[in-house]
Amino acid sequence: RTQNYNLCQWEAADKVQRVDFNADNAKMDTALGGIADRVAALEAKQPVELRRIKLTGATKRITLSLSGIDVTQYDHLRLEFRDMELSLGYLGAQVNGLTSGYVRMNTNGMSPSASEYASVGFQGNGRGSLEIHPLNGWVALRGEAVSAYPNSTKTPPYNISASLSWSIHKDVSYTGLTKLELMSHNADGVFSAGAELVLYGMPK
């Protein structure tokens, strides 16, 4: 079998069967169709869907592989959260498994992050996004969220907040990204089942 698409490779003594050809053609048609869809989306300046994850159970950490994505095709990557619910704390993100070296950016400039992750700003439940940008050879994470979180003193018992945050890591380049992980800054924070994450390549 071939390495990438598991297509048949016949030995001299193998019996050639019609079902093998049909299965191979179906695999190639699917692969080529996906390439055509991506090219069409890029030409139309539309976001290209690269990854999709739906949580079937509650979890404390979400891992998204970025291997195999040619980020140079896109201006930046955008990860959208849908029906995301985090039981405790704020959302943090780690790149390539690194647990230190994150720098937070704000209107006053740059400051070292006090945590082992980049702060994204998502809290409670709602919708939001995390964008991944190239910045002077570094990777920059831009978190944006509209969140609802409990407040027992108000009716309805939820506060609605919007947040925007930037963080960078100087030891990781945009083209060197292989993995993105999401977790709560609170060790007991849990992502509920049913949340969906969709990663897009945004056109140049």
Side-chain angles (χ1 to χ4, degrees):
R1 298 282 178 165
T2 60
Q3 180 178 353
N4 296 314
Y5 291 99
N6 202 34
L7 303 176
C8 294
Q9 296 284 274
W10 281 271
E11 300 286 350
D14 287 342
K15 181 180 178 182
V16 178
Q17 300 187 70
R18 175 175 54 85
V19 292
D20 292 331
F21 283 103
N22 288 345
D24 284 355
N25 287 337
K27 292 174 184 176
M28 288 187 288
D29 185 74
T30 299
L32 293 173
I35 293 172
D37 290 343
R38 291 189 180 190
V39 171
L42 287 171
E43 290 177 345
K45 298 295 184 181
Q46 295 295 316
V48 178
E49 183 177 322
L50 302 172
R51 298 280 192 276
R52 182 181 291 263
I53 295 177
K54 187 159 188 177
L55 300 184
T56 56
T59 183
K60 288 189 173 183
R61 181 177 289 259
I62 300 172
T63 300
L64 184 69
S65 173
L66 303 177
S67 296
I69 298 176
D70 181 4
V71 295
T72 61
Q73 294 185 49
Y74 312 107
D75 179 74
H76 63 279
L77 304 179
R78 179 181 175 88
L79 179 64
E80 294 189 357
F81 315 127
R82 301 175 182 176
D83 300 319
M84 177 78 87
E85 188 169 333
L86 182 59
S87 62
L88 291 170
Y90 294 90
L91 184 65
Q94 292 176 342
V95 292
N96 293 8
L98 294 174
T99 58
S100 64
Y102 297 94
V103 177
R104 196 164 295 152
M105 302 168 62
N106 53 45
T107 55
N108 297 321
M110 299 182 183
S111 61
S113 175
S115 62
E116 71 271 14
Y117 54 80
S119 176
V120 177
F122 181 94
Q123 180 187 21
N125 59 78
R127 299 174 68 91
S129 66
L130 172 62
E131 293 186 349
I132 306 171
H133 292 259
L135 179 66
N136 295 331
W138 310 321
V139 64
L141 305 176
R142 177 185 184 270
E144 185 173 11
V146 177
S147 308
Y149 54 95
N151 185 330
S152 60
T153 64
K154 293 188 177 183
T155 303
Y158 283 95
N159 276 349
I160 305 297
S161 70
S163 61
L164 177 66
S165 62
W166 279 93
S167 293
I168 66 171
H169 201 298
K170 294 184 178 181
D171 296 330
V172 180
S173 67
Y174 179 66
T175 56
L177 284 169
T178 59
K179 182 172 65 172
L180 179 70
E181 293 178 278
L182 304 177
M183 74 294 295
S184 171
H185 90 285
N186 186 310
D188 295 322
V190 174
F191 299 104
S192 64
E196 189 172 46
L197 297 88
V198 185
L199 180 69
Y200 294 99
M202 305 304 289
K204 294 183 178 181

